[in-house]
Amino acid sequence: MYMTKRVKMRVNLAEARVLLERGEVVAVPTETVYGLAASLGQPEAIKKLFALKGRPLANPLIVHVSHWLEIAAYLDSFPLSLGLLADVFWPGPLTCVLPIRPSLIPEIARAGLTTAGFRIPSHPLTRKLLEQSGPLVMPSANLSGRPSATEASHVEEDFGSDFPVLDGGKCEKGVESTILVYRGEKWVVARLGAIAAEVFLPVLGYRPPLFKREEGQRPISPGQLFRHYAPRAALFLGPIPSGITHVIGFAERSYPFAKHSFILGSLFSPEEVAEKLYSTLRQLDIEKIEAAWVDTDFPRTGLWVTIAERLERAAQKNDELPHKKQPQINK
Ligand code: TXA
Ligand code: MG
């Protein structure tokens, strides 16, 4: 008799550690989004990780550690302001990119760059894992281009139900870490994230500017070159297209023209909206919805700026992405 039922491969902490030691890739929870972890010291495992995600090799990975003093060993120099940031924001949803001593980090992890991004996640399970496993590289645990995973079941949607996942429940923040890059003695924001840019003002004494790429200039964060966060459904952010039947919106508003509204949360709680963002985008795919209009009439301050940026990128059209390609129909 054949066993057709695949079992769910939820693993515990000890199992996750053993798999990582063996050079396997394991999905683990963080407070931002689930990460796809491989051991920093195992370039073959990191290669496997890039292949699994379908991630371009030019897109470097963030190094995750359990204590910020571990980071010092990799650095070329240690800016005073890194200590200030670490004190306030770590463990937590901040990634800092700094010049490193390249020989200490495998080339594949840093995509050949002489800088690397570091983060100390605050999720208790993964902190414990990091204490035992040592540094792990972790991109978000989604197929390249898809919305990030904020629940164990999202990881299984993208990688199959037999993929090893350390289940840590729903991610509290729901959007990725904010990335600050240290250049010319100052920090700039390379990716908006769970920490709003204005929150850095009292710590650094200035609000780090958002890095904007000039025409022809290389991006500060290679990931910005690639499409992200997109469901299969077409998203419309501008005027309401005629005939649209599905809406992504807010609890305080009614959308009488819509057959069905996906409610992101309250206009009074960007935290709630961020937390539900990717699961809502993924729900459109589960329900095989082809198009939805997104209500973007919300403030452009604090965490709302991150939410707006994610929605804009999720709505970008790009038929080149593997998961957006329509199957060929043979006539
Ligand atoms: O919240 C997060 O940061 C999650 C969790 C799992 O920790 N991780 C995450 O990783 O979002 P990923 O790989 O999906 O996004 C990392 C971003 C990419 O855009 C990458 O280009 C950028 O960080 N990055 C990594 N190293 C960099 C470097 N040395 N310089 C500039 N950007 C870098
Ligand atoms: Mg990602």
Side-chain angles (χ1 to χ4, degrees):
M1 203 177 85
Y2 291 105
M3 293 283 288
T4 48
K5 194 168 173 282
R6 291 164 96 194
V7 282
K8 285 200 188 286
M9 256 287 277
R10 305 279 167 101
V11 296
N12 63 29
L13 196 79
E15 290 162 336
R17 183 174 50 78
V18 170
L19 286 168
L20 289 164
E21 251 167 38
R22 275 199 219 140
E24 300 294 335
V25 176
V26 182
V28 304
T30 85
E31 72 283 15
T32 58
V33 298
Y34 273 75
L36 208 54
S39 190
L40 178 68
Q42 301 206 34
E44 282 305 313
I46 300 174
K47 206 164 151 188
K48 208 184 296 177
L49 190 160
F50 271 95
L52 263 169
K53 254 188 86 94
R55 182 180 178 104
L57 285 166
N59 196 1
L61 305 173
I62 297 171
V63 177
H64 295 68
V65 298
S66 66
H67 194 280
W68 73 275
L69 286 177
E70 285 175 69
I71 297 170
Y74 297 104
L75 299 183
D76 198 23
S77 63
F78 197 96
L80 192 67
S81 53
L82 179 63
L84 300 174
L85 290 168
D87 210 28
V88 177
F89 298 107
W90 280 338
L94 172 67
T95 295
C96 290
V97 173
L98 295 132
I100 48 157
R101 298 199 274 155
S103 62
L104 301 180
I105 293 190
E107 194 171 345
I108 186 168
R110 55 186 164 84
L113 301 175
T114 54
T115 57
F118 297 93
R119 178 163 114 77
I120 304 168
S122 67
H123 194 292
L125 263 181
T126 297
R127 282 199 77 194
K128 222 178 224 152
L129 177 65
L130 283 164
E131 278 165 20
Q132 298 174 9
S133 66
L136 299 172
V137 286
M138 275 194 230
S140 50
N142 52 279
L143 288 173
S144 213
R146 294 265 298 143
S148 301
T150 54
E151 297 175 31
S153 65
H154 296 167
V155 179
E156 289 156 353
E157 278 164 29
D158 281 17
F159 297 101
S161 55
D162 51 1
F163 194 82
V165 185
L166 177 63
D167 187 355
K170 284 188 186 177
C171 301
E172 182 199 331
K173 302 286 179 195
V175 289
E176 296 80 355
S177 61
T178 299
I179 302 182
L180 292 184
V181 176
Y182 191 66
R183 32 157 40 209
E185 314 270 296
K186 291 253 169 172
W187 296 92
V188 298
V189 178
R191 177 178 72 184
L192 294 161
I195 304 173
E198 44 268 57
V199 177
F200 296 107
L201 175 67
V203 182
L204 293 174
Y206 58 91
R207 180 189 159 143
L210 182 62
F211 181 80
K212 283 229 160 56
R213 187 159 61 110
E214 308 280 323
E215 196 68 39
Q217 198 184 4
R218 278 177 44 177
I220 198 165
S221 176
Q224 303 299 313
L225 279 177
F226 307 108
R227 248 290 298 278
H228 271 86
Y229 320 119
R232 290 182 184 86
L235 299 181
F236 296 91
L237 307 190
I240 305 170
S242 66
I244 201 96
T245 51
H246 291 84
V247 165
I248 298 178
F250 299 96
E252 291 82 6
R253 300 216 173 106
S254 66
Y255 307 96
F257 59 91
K259 191 167 89 184
H260 182 69
S261 310
F262 294 87
I263 300 301
L264 285 170
S266 166
L267 283 162
F268 297 102
S269 176
E271 292 78 14
E272 180 192 7
V273 172
E275 196 250 317
K276 287 203 187 131
L277 186 63
Y278 293 134
S279 58
T280 305
L281 296 182
R282 283 177 172 269
Q283 192 57 32
L284 296 178
D285 287 350
I286 290 169
E287 297 187 25
K288 298 200 166 36
I289 286 152
E290 288 179 359
W293 175 73
V294 189
D295 182 354
T296 52
D297 184 13
F298 51 75
R300 291 297 185 275
T301 51
L303 196 51
W304 289 113
V305 187
T306 302
I307 295 163
E309 191 261 356
R310 296 299 194 271
L311 286 170
E312 275 154 28
R313 298 197 65 190
Q316 275 168 19
K317 293 271 177 306
N318 183 349
D319 292 333
E320 295 307 306
L321 271 181
H323 78 273
K324 282 261 173 180
K325 268 192 192 148
Q326 295 301 312
Q328 294 284 316
I329 297 164
N330 290 322
K331 288 199 178 144

